[in-house]
Amino acid sequence: MVAGTEKTTDAPWVAEMRRIRDDRDRAAFAALFGHFAPRVKAFLVKSGAEPSVAEDCAQDVMVTVWRKAHLFDPSRASVATWVFTIARNRRIDLLRRDRRPEPEDLTWGPSHEPDQSEVVEMNQETERLGAAIASLPEKQRVLIEKAFYGDLSHREIADITGLPLGTIKSRIRLALDRLRHAMR
């Protein structure tokens, strides 16, 4: 590859990503999907996934691209690198899931409905957890909410907040310790 050509060939995809990020532009996403989804599927099949699993995973990857477009940074990676990194991570998740052992005794049929005391207990625990989260120092509470309610990784939180990754990890660890003690 000639030096600088990646930036040139990536420029249209960067523009599409910006339109997705800034305007939630469906046409831009359709173009990105049309180009990358078949390539992601082929990548997954070559890495050992069944074609039907690769198809589902490729669609999931593209949904992630749509949902997390705000995290794309063209100064850090090309669009293709970013998309295929998501695909690689999703493939690793699938492999981990497939390696989990199945429980020996699966119960079939409808599960029992919780009785009223179980419902009350779950509601009380939910309220206690909400109060414990609300009582966290703001710097910790905000990060816990981003990590668990926003479903963001520590790296994504660091990118969004501009805080060092170590600070993010420390604050979340301290917050989880406080929550553990509060829920005892």
Side-chain angles (χ1 to χ4, degrees):
M1 175 180 267
V2 178
T5 58
E6 183 178 328
K7 291 290 184 195
T8 305
T9 59
D10 198 45
W13 298 121
V14 170
E16 299 292 6
M17 283 300 299
R18 286 190 174 123
R19 288 176 45 212
I20 294 167
R21 178 192 66 202
D22 299 341
D23 305 324
R24 305 307 283 170
D25 188 312
R26 291 176 185 265
F29 181 70
L32 202 77
F33 190 99
H35 179 77
F36 284 103
R39 287 164 175 80
V40 167
K41 179 182 176 187
F43 163 75
L44 293 169
V45 168
K46 284 180 185 174
S47 71
E50 293 292 323
S52 62
V53 172
E55 174 99 23
D56 291 344
C57 189
Q59 288 183 11
D60 189 42
V61 166
M62 297 312 294
V63 168
T64 301
V65 168
W66 172 263
R67 283 184 33 239
K68 298 196 176 194
H70 64 283
L71 298 174
F72 173 70
D73 181 356
S75 69
R76 296 181 68 183
S78 70
V79 175
T81 300
W82 189 67
V83 170
F84 280 96
T85 299
I86 294 169
R88 181 187 61 89
N89 291 342
R90 196 57 38 99
R91 176 70 179 136
I92 291 168
D93 291 344
L94 285 174
L95 288 171
R96 286 180 183 151
R97 186 194 71 202
D98 290 345
R99 288 187 185 143
R100 288 186 188 143
E102 285 293 318
E104 296 290 320
D105 300 314
L106 288 175
T107 56
W108 297 100
S111 62
H112 82 285
E113 289 292 319
D115 64 20
Q116 191 60 32
S117 65
E118 290 174 319
V119 171
V120 168
E121 187 178 332
M122 285 188 291
N123 286 340
Q124 289 172 342
E125 220 168 278
T126 301
E127 288 175 13
R128 281 183 48 219
L129 180 58
I133 290 171
S135 71
L136 289 172
E138 183 179 358
K139 290 179 179 180
Q140 292 175 5
R141 182 183 45 77
V142 167
L143 296 180
I144 286 289
E145 289 170 349
K146 286 183 185 310
F148 293 98
Y149 299 134
D151 196 27
L152 298 174
S153 70
H154 293 167
R155 167 59 57 202
E156 291 168 334
I157 295 169
D159 291 343
I160 290 169
T161 63
L163 293 171
L165 184 59
T167 301
I168 301 293
K169 289 180 178 184
S170 295
R171 287 183 185 170
I172 288 176
R173 187 180 64 250
L174 289 171
L176 289 174
D177 285 343
R178 285 183 178 201
L179 291 174
R180 220 173 279 120
H181 290 301
M183 295 304 290
R184 286 187 180 170

